[in-house]
């Protein structure tokens, strides 16, 4: 895609530059907080070694589907390659690059050709809404770059009355599908747009958009995971009831407020407009409902809604033409350079593993002779794997779709509600447990005679009592 | 119900759907056993008020921990529940629920259906009554104020059209509301909102509305508990309820929030039709939506307050009704009246046949409790009121459903002990229970069993455990 900046900088655009730049600096200052990056990287190494995307990670995860197929092989290979080049700092640098791309593409789709009075507030709200998501090193962050492009296309189709060339749609979806399982958004969103256009009887554009959706569906299947990638959402819905990021969005919780503001703004603009295109209403409502279904959908909802909201606000507000005082462009450029430099400097000074918990416990396990089988808190899996040097067999790791739903329910039931603890211990046969001290099972195991040997932040390492000691 | 005579407005077939939905909700309310976990102690408090005519230091006999000077914020509801229980047992209590359900649904029908496009009005009616059905099936003081909320919704709607209710009506309703439930603050809040709405629409500041804000505030304070701690209890709820689901934010796609979501979606879709929407309407919809989203327990009030505005908006977005002849309208009246009559008769029959205790914890749990002078129970939060009301005389619980009665520290220690997160032995030692009545999924029940407590009963997900010393005859 050729990125041409058509934005003539206005005074309000300085606010957008500052908001985006500060987010980038913030992103640079955050160490790795994603709990899954650690095993993503190790899977990448395995993929490169074995030249296969199935049957991965079995050495550290003896339970679950041993033929499990990754839906994000390209991201994992990239993480492995980056690590070999520059360690974890290289991975967090990619997060910065992805963040920059997201902010620039978002700026392009939201600010370009619109009055700064209506577009800048939309951009700033979207930037705040993305703040918690683009600081994470995960394949989904990479997919967000594609989602910003998709959001621009959506606005282009509905308000620009032009279709998107099928080859562009196919190319984006193909890359996206190899990076992350959320690629299904492309055909789904385009199909929704086609349906919405049919409601407005814009048949030729609806047909072209429908064809684009079909192309996207086909391109998305062109991955080593094939159909398995398309079915991934079904697998996740059965196994993720215990995970907060898959929970429904509470609009007035911190995650949901920017999304709530955007949806409410669209509604208010419609209320004050003389007419509202039906297709636009259908798409905005559809995307809003999608975003509300899970916390992890929020960033996708935000970047898909932002350009549409900018169009809606621009139509309803009838703002006065922008005026651009001399020097605004220079000031905006200077601000961007200063903030980008600050982000780079900040990144270079941050230890990427500073928040990796329980790293100390993982090191202890790494020094044990032979692999240690661990009954672990779900969120600790990646760090235990990475910082023990792979010297652990985990009860569960972050690949929720790899495990049978019954296994996941039993495992979480034992950790949080002490349900069938004996049964779970019999299944896992752990030599040690690494749990948060606040988890009921941690207290329970100690009352059964397990010995706490190390405390690391919130976590405690316990050795199994001899009679319950598993695979030695 | 007055039938408008304007062409195309009046009795329409859509009302049959409304009638079925309305009586369905009343029937559901009538056929449910007692499901509310707090009604047990509300009744006990009501009985104590009837005996002592005091509103503070209530319920200390069964709850030795917590604030011993606690003041109720809903004395009149509790008194009514207590009297009904004395007159007709638990069925007497549930009879009030059926009456309130019928009254609320009828009031919403009268507010929403007449003089509007029938399809739009029926849609809103069905969404609203379906959305409050869950609350109408519960025996709780909040349900008693729902008919008053319908009156408030009518006042809000009419205030924007220039009709301001007489001050004495507002004073009466607010005074009744404040004695029934602590949510009376909505009344002055709504009149303040109406004042802001009229300003937003370019009208002069309404002195009448400002007077109503003052009158309703004064009337709300006309409550025997106001100056004995009741007023101070209201802000305490905000900080004391973080562990309770109904005080949590409303997830829009949950069973609690689905109908609020549907109502908001209907309004927004109607907004997207040609024509400008008044700013006042936008303010009302946004503020009531936010109010409903703040806490699950606000959802029924938000739905009712939004109903007239939503009915107006959705009706205006749809084509007008077809004119119907007098004979056809008469026939429709007969059909709707027939559905209502048959439905209400069926609801009454269902109420008379349902065992009000069918939804309560199993009787075997109560039977397992040792009879005697004083039995202290380490209980599940939701079971506190039930055990106090249905347990043997002298049963004491370590906590009941009166969230604002207990300090944050005490509740923190209690919940931590139940989840066996911290030193639960210290909490058990301090509260010194003879038995524990806990959910089988509560980690502490496993710990107690491991510590030698004996299982006396295990039924329907609840386990009764006796302290080791208690086991010895």
């Amino acid at each position: 895609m050729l990125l041409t900046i058509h934005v003539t900088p206005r005074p309000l655009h300085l606010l957008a530059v500052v908001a985006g730049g500060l987010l980038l600096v913030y992103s640079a200052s955050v160490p790795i907080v994603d709990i899954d990056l650690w095993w993503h990287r190790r899977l990448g190494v395995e993929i490169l070694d074995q030249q296969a995307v199935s049957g991965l990670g079995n050495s550290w995860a003896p339970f679950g589907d041993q033929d499990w197929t990754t839906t994000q092989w390209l991201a994992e290979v990239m993480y492995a390659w980056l690590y070999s080049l520059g360690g974890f700092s290289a991975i967090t640098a990619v997060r910065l690059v992805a963040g920059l791309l997201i902010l620039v593409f978002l700026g392009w789709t939201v600010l370009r050709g619109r009055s700064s009075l209506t577009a800048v507030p939309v951009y700033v709200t979207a930037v705040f809404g993305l703040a918690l998501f683009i600081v994470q090193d995960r394949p989904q962050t990479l997919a967000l770059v594609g989602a910003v492009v998709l959001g621009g296309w959506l606005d282009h189709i509905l308000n620009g009355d032009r279709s998107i060339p099928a080859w562009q749609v196919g190319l984006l979806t193909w890359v996206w599908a190899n990076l992350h399982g959320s690629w299904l958004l492309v055909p789904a969103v385009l199909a929704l747009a086609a349906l919405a256009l049919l409601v407005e009887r814009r048949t030729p554009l609806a047909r072209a958009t429908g064809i684009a959706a079909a192309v996207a569906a086909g391109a998305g299947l062109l991955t080593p995971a094939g159909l398995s990638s398309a079915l991934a959402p079904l697998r996740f819905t059965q196994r993720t009831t215990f995970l907060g990021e898959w929970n429904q969005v509470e609009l007035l919780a911190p995650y949901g407020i920017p999304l709530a503001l955007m949806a409410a703004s669209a509604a208010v603009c419609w209320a004050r407009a003389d007419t509202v295109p039906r297709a636009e209403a259908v798409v905005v409502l559809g995307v809003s409902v999608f975003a509300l279904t899970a916390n992890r959908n929020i960033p996708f909802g935000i970047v898909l809604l932002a350009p549409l909201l900018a169009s809606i606000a621009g139509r309803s507000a009838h703002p006065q033409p922008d005026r651009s005082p001399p020097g605004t462009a220079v000031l905006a450029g200077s601000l961007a350079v200063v903030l980008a430099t600050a982000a780079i400097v900040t990144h270079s000074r941050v230890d990427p593993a500073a928040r990796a918990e329980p790293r100390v416990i993982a090191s202890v396990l790494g020094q044990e002779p032979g692999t240690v089988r661990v009954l672990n808190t779900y969120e600790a899996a990646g760090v235990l794997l990475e910082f023990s040097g792979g010297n652990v067999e985990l009860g569960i790791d972050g690949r929720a779709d790899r495990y049978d739903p019954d296994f996941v329910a039993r495992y979480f039931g034992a950790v949080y509600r002490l349900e069938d603890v004996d049964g779970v211990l019999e299944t896992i046969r752990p030599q040690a447990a690494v749990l948060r001290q606040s988890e009921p099972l941690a207290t329970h195991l100690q009352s059964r005679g397990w010995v706490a040997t190390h405390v690391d932040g919130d976590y405690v390492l316990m050795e199994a009592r001899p009679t319950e000691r598993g695979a030695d | 119900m007055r039938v408008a005579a304007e062409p195309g407005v009046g009795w329409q077939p859509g009302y049959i759907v409304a009638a079925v939905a309305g009586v369905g909700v009343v029937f559901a309310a009538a056929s449910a056993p007692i499901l509310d976990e707090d009604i047990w102690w509300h009744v006990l408090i009501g009985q104590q008020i009837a005996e002592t005519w005091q509103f503070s230091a209530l319920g200390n006999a069964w709850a030795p921990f917590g604030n011993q000077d606690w003041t109720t914020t809903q004395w009149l509801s509790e008194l009514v529940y207590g009297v009904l229980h004395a007159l007709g047992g638990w069925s007497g209590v549930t009879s009030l629920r059926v009456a309130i359900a019928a009254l609320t649904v009828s009031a919403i029908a009268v507010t929403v259906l007449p003089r509007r496009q029938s399809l739009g009005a029926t849609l809103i009616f069905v969404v609203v009554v379906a959305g409050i059905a869950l609350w109408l099936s519960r025996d709780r003081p909040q349900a008693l104020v729902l008919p008053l909320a319908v009156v408030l919704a009518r006042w809000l709607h009419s205030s924007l059209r220039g009709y301001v209710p007489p001050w004495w009506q507002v004073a009466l309703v607010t005074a009744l509301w404040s004695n029934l439930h602590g949510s009376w603050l909505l009344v002055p809040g709504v009149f303040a909102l109406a004042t802001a709405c009229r300003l937003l629409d370019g009208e002069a500041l309404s002195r009448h509305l400002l007077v109503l804000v003052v009158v309703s505030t004064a009337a709300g304070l006309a409550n025997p508990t106001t100056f004995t701690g009741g007023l101070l209890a209201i802000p305490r709820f905000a900080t004391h309820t973080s562990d309770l689901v109904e005080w949590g934010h409303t997830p829009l796609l949950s069973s609690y929030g689905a109908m609020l979501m549907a109502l908001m979606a209907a309004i927004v879709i109607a907004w997207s039709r040609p024509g400008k929407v008044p700013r006042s309407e936008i303010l009302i919809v946004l503020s009531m939506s936010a109010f409903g989203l703040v806490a699950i327990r606000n959802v029924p009030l938000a739905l009712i307050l939004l109903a007239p505005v939503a009915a107006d908006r959705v009706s205006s977005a749809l084509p007008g009704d077809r004119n119907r002849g007098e004979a056809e309208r008469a026939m429709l009246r007969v059909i709707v009246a027939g559905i209502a009559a048959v439905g209400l008769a069926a609801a009454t029959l269902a109420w008379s046949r349902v065992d009000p205790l069918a939804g309560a914890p199993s009787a075997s749990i109560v039977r397992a409790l040792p009879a005697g002078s004083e039995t202290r129970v380490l209980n599940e939060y939701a079971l506190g009121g039930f055990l106090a009301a249905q347990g043997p005389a002298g049963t004491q619980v370590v906590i009941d459903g009166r969230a604002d009665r207990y300090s944050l520290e005490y509740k923190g220690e209690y919940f931590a002990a139940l989840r066996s997160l911290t030193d639960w032995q210290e909490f058990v030692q301090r509260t010194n229970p003879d038995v524990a009545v806990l959910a089988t999924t509560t980690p502490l029940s496993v710990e107690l069993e491991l510590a030698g407590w004996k299982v006396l009963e295990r039924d329907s997900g609840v386990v009764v455990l006796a302290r080791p010393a208690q086991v010895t005859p």
Side-chain angles (χ1 to χ4, degrees):
Chain A
M1 183 192 304
L2 182 64
L3 177 64
T4 314
I5 304 295
H6 290 281
V7 181
T8 307
R10 315 290 182 193
L12 262 181
H13 286 136
L14 297 177
L15 188 62
V17 172
V18 169
L22 287 179
L23 177 56
L24 213 57
V25 175
Y26 169 63
S27 175
S29 71
V30 178
I32 294 170
V33 289
D34 192 81
I35 58 170
D36 296 328
L37 171 74
W38 319 101
W39 58 259
H40 279 310
R41 182 192 77 77
R42 290 202 162 241
L43 287 183
V45 173
E46 273 195 41
I47 293 167
L48 290 172
D49 287 347
Q50 298 175 15
Q51 298 291 305
V53 296
S54 294
L56 301 167
N58 295 339
S59 62
W60 72 75
F63 305 99
D65 179 6
Q66 302 293 300
D67 294 322
W68 175 82
T69 301
T70 180
T71 53
Q72 48 228 348
W73 73 275
L74 186 56
E76 283 156 347
V77 165
M78 192 182 75
Y79 286 141
W81 176 69
L82 286 167
Y83 180 79
S84 69
L85 287 181
F88 287 117
S89 292
I91 293 177
T92 54
V94 163
R95 175 216 302 172
L96 269 190
V97 173
L100 182 66
L101 287 176
I102 290 167
L103 293 170
V104 171
F105 285 180
L106 191 67
W108 185 57
T109 57
V110 170
L111 303 174
R112 179 173 168 262
R114 294 192 172 100
S115 160
S116 61
L117 198 62
T118 53
V120 169
V122 173
Y123 180 78
V124 173
T125 307
V127 165
F128 275 110
L130 293 173
L132 291 171
F133 299 93
I134 68 172
V135 298
Q136 306 204 19
D137 305 282
R138 57 196 309 181
Q140 193 192 20
T141 308
L142 305 176
L144 263 183
V145 181
V148 179
V149 176
L150 180 62
W153 284 350
L154 204 52
D155 184 48
H156 197 67
I157 293 167
L158 295 175
N159 294 310
D161 207 26
R162 278 181 294 176
S163 61
I164 306 298
W167 70 268
Q168 287 186 16
V169 174
L171 185 63
L172 177 83
T173 317
W174 179 68
V175 175
W176 189 334
N178 285 285
L179 282 171
H180 192 240
S182 56
W183 66 270
L184 279 166
L185 261 182
V186 188
V189 164
L190 291 176
L192 177 68
L195 199 69
L197 290 166
L198 275 181
V199 172
E200 276 189 357
R201 300 183 195 286
R202 291 155 74 181
T203 311
L205 188 56
R207 190 184 303 122
T209 308
I211 291 169
V215 168
L221 295 175
L222 297 177
T223 73
L227 195 60
S228 169
S229 172
L231 299 176
L234 292 177
R235 290 198 301 276
F236 277 105
T237 51
Q238 296 173 326
R239 295 162 173 85
T240 49
T241 50
F242 295 95
L243 308 180
E245 68 170 326
W246 289 85
N247 287 350
Q248 283 180 22
V249 178
E250 290 173 1
L251 273 183
L252 297 184
Y255 283 122
I257 287 174
L259 185 68
L261 277 177
M262 293 176 75
S265 303
V268 171
C269 290
W270 285 342
R272 300 296 295 168
D274 293 325
T275 56
V276 176
R278 286 183 187 181
E280 183 181 85
V282 169
V283 170
V284 169
L285 288 174
V287 171
S288 300
V289 171
F290 160 74
L292 284 171
T293 53
N295 284 319
R296 59 183 281 129
N297 293 348
I298 289 177
F300 290 118
I302 286 173
V303 298
L304 290 174
L305 284 178
L308 287 174
L309 178 58
S311 291
I312 294 167
R315 271 202 315 271
S316 73
H318 308 298
Q320 297 299 310
D322 274 334
R323 281 180 299 177
S324 185
T328 307
V330 175
L331 193 55
S334 307
L335 266 175
V337 169
V338 167
L339 289 166
T341 308
I344 292 166
V345 171
T346 307
H347 174 261
S348 68
R349 298 168 72 95
V350 170
D351 170 11
R355 285 202 205 158
E357 210 178 49
R359 188 161 49 155
V360 175
I361 287 177
S363 312
V364 170
L365 293 171
Q367 289 160 14
E368 289 287 318
T371 309
V372 183
R373 183 168 294 181
V374 181
L375 176 67
N376 60 290
T377 295
Y378 182 86
E379 290 83 357
V383 172
L384 290 176
L385 173 67
E386 181 63 45
F387 293 96
S388 70
N391 196 36
V392 287
E393 284 185 350
L394 299 166
I396 198 166
D397 63 9
R399 295 174 286 173
D401 62 323
R402 186 175 178 272
Y403 299 88
D404 182 74
D406 287 342
F407 177 87
V408 175
R410 280 181 62 216
Y411 198 93
F412 279 80
V415 172
Y416 295 108
R417 294 193 297 273
L418 303 185
E419 289 172 347
D420 190 23
V421 173
D422 290 331
V424 170
L425 288 176
E426 183 59 34
T427 303
I428 307 289
R429 296 184 59 74
Q431 297 156 278
V434 180
L435 298 164
R436 282 201 189 91
Q437 296 182 74
S438 58
E439 282 161 350
L441 188 57
T443 314
H444 179 70
L445 290 180
Q446 288 176 64
S447 67
R448 287 170 71 131
W450 289 48
V451 179
T453 58
H454 289 83
V455 171
D456 181 5
D458 285 345
Y459 288 90
V460 58
L461 169 65
M462 288 169 285
E463 278 183 12
R465 64 177 180 178
T467 53
E468 288 180 336
R469 199 170 169 84
D472 266 323
Chain B
M1 185 187 298
R2 184 174 165 274
V3 179
E6 294 92 339
V9 177
W11 285 84
Q12 300 288 334
Y15 288 4
I16 295 174
V17 176
V20 170
V23 296
V25 167
V26 177
F27 183 82
S31 51
I34 290 175
L35 298 171
D36 196 86
E37 61 199 36
D38 293 330
I39 186 60
W40 315 102
W41 61 259
H42 281 311
V43 166
L44 292 179
I45 295 284
Q47 289 170 347
Q48 199 174 342
I49 291 172
E51 287 168 13
T52 63
W53 286 99
Q54 290 189 345
F55 309 103
S56 294
L58 299 163
N60 294 339
W62 74 77
F65 301 100
N67 178 10
Q68 302 293 300
D69 294 322
W70 175 81
T71 301
T72 178
T73 54
Q74 47 226 349
W75 73 274
L76 186 54
S77 301
E78 284 157 344
L79 181 65
V80 171
Y81 280 131
V83 169
L84 286 171
H85 183 267
L87 292 175
W90 293 108
S91 290
V93 172
T94 57
S95 68
L96 181 61
R97 177 213 303 167
V98 183
I100 289 293
L103 183 61
T104 308
V105 168
S106 306
I108 295 172
V110 171
T111 302
V112 166
L113 295 176
R115 290 181 288 283
R116 293 191 174 97
Q117 200 273 357
S118 66
L119 183 64
T122 299
L123 173 76
I124 297 305
F125 175 77
V126 171
V127 166
V128 171
V129 295
I132 64 171
L134 198 65
W135 279 268
L136 290 176
S137 300
R138 300 295 174 113
D139 305 284
R140 57 193 309 174
Q142 193 195 18
L144 304 189
V145 301
L146 292 183
L148 302 180
V150 182
V151 174
L152 184 61
R154 289 176 71 105
W155 284 344
L156 173 61
H157 189 244
S158 62
S159 295
L160 300 180
R161 279 148 188 79
Y163 170 76
V164 178
W167 68 268
W168 59 269
Q169 286 184 13
V170 172
L172 271 179
V173 166
T174 316
L176 177 61
W177 191 324
S178 83
N179 286 283
L180 285 169
H181 193 245
S183 55
W184 66 270
L185 282 166
L186 258 184
V187 186
V190 160
F191 284 117
L193 177 66
T195 309
C197 283
R198 298 220 349 205
L199 285 174
L200 208 56
D201 280 344
E203 295 177 30
L205 182 68
S206 169
R207 284 185 197 163
H208 289 300
L209 284 172
L210 282 179
V211 167
L212 292 184
V213 173
V214 176
V215 165
S216 56
T217 305
L221 295 175
N223 182 323
T225 69
T226 296
F227 301 105
T228 55
L231 192 62
L232 293 174
I234 294 169
R236 272 210 304 277
F237 276 106
T239 52
H240 281 64
T241 51
S242 56
D243 286 306
L244 308 181
V245 172
E246 68 171 317
W247 289 84
H249 290 318
T250 309
L252 274 181
L253 301 181
S254 65
S255 57
Y256 297 115
M259 289 301 142
L260 183 60
M261 169 91 170
L263 195 72
M264 287 160 56
I267 294 170
V268 170
I269 290 169
W271 278 357
S272 71
R273 307 305 302 144
K276 279 193 176 177
V277 176
R279 290 190 177 97
S280 56
E281 184 177 321
I282 295 171
L283 179 62
I284 287 174
V285 171
L286 289 182
S287 51
M288 286 304 140
S289 301
F291 172 67
L293 288 169
V294 166
I296 288 170
R297 59 184 283 127
N298 292 350
V299 168
L301 294 167
L303 281 169
I304 289 172
L305 290 168
L306 275 174
V309 175
D312 266 358
R313 177 53 52 196
V314 174
S315 296
S316 70
L318 294 167
D321 282 325
R322 184 166 72 81
N323 281 317
R324 298 190 181 276
E326 186 54 41
E328 203 176 348
R329 285 194 284 176
M331 190 177 71
L332 281 165
R333 270 182 227 144
V334 170
I335 293 172
V336 169
I339 292 171
V342 170
L344 288 177
T348 309
L349 190 65
W351 166 77
S352 68
R353 296 170 72 95
V354 75
D355 172 10
L357 300 181
S362 168
S364 65
I365 300 296
V366 174
R367 282 198 300 271
L369 293 177
S373 50
E374 275 189 359
T375 303
R376 186 168 294 175
V377 184
L378 173 54
N379 59 291
E380 198 73 44
Y381 183 84
L383 295 176
F386 171 77
L387 292 169
Q390 298 295 89
T395 299
Q396 292 184 338
V397 295
V398 300
I399 198 165
D400 58 15
R402 294 176 284 174
D404 60 322
R405 186 174 180 273
Y406 301 88
S407 69
L408 293 175
E409 294 76 22
Y410 181 81
K411 282 195 296 183
E413 290 166 14
Y414 165 80
F415 282 114
L418 253 65
R419 294 169 193 151
S420 82
L421 299 182
T422 55
D423 190 4
W424 58 265
Q425 291 93 339
E426 196 275 332
F427 184 80
V428 170
Q429 197 174 7
R430 183 149 64 89
T431 51
N432 192 26
D434 304 298
V435 293
V437 181
L438 299 167
T440 51
T441 53
T442 296
L444 184 58
S445 68
V446 181
E447 298 290 6
L448 292 179
E449 205 176 334
L450 200 68
W453 288 51
K454 186 183 178 186
V455 176
L456 299 180
E457 180 65 41
R458 198 189 291 272
D459 192 0
S460 310
V462 176
V463 61
V464 182
L465 298 136
R467 197 173 57 188
Q470 203 70 21
V471 175
T472 313

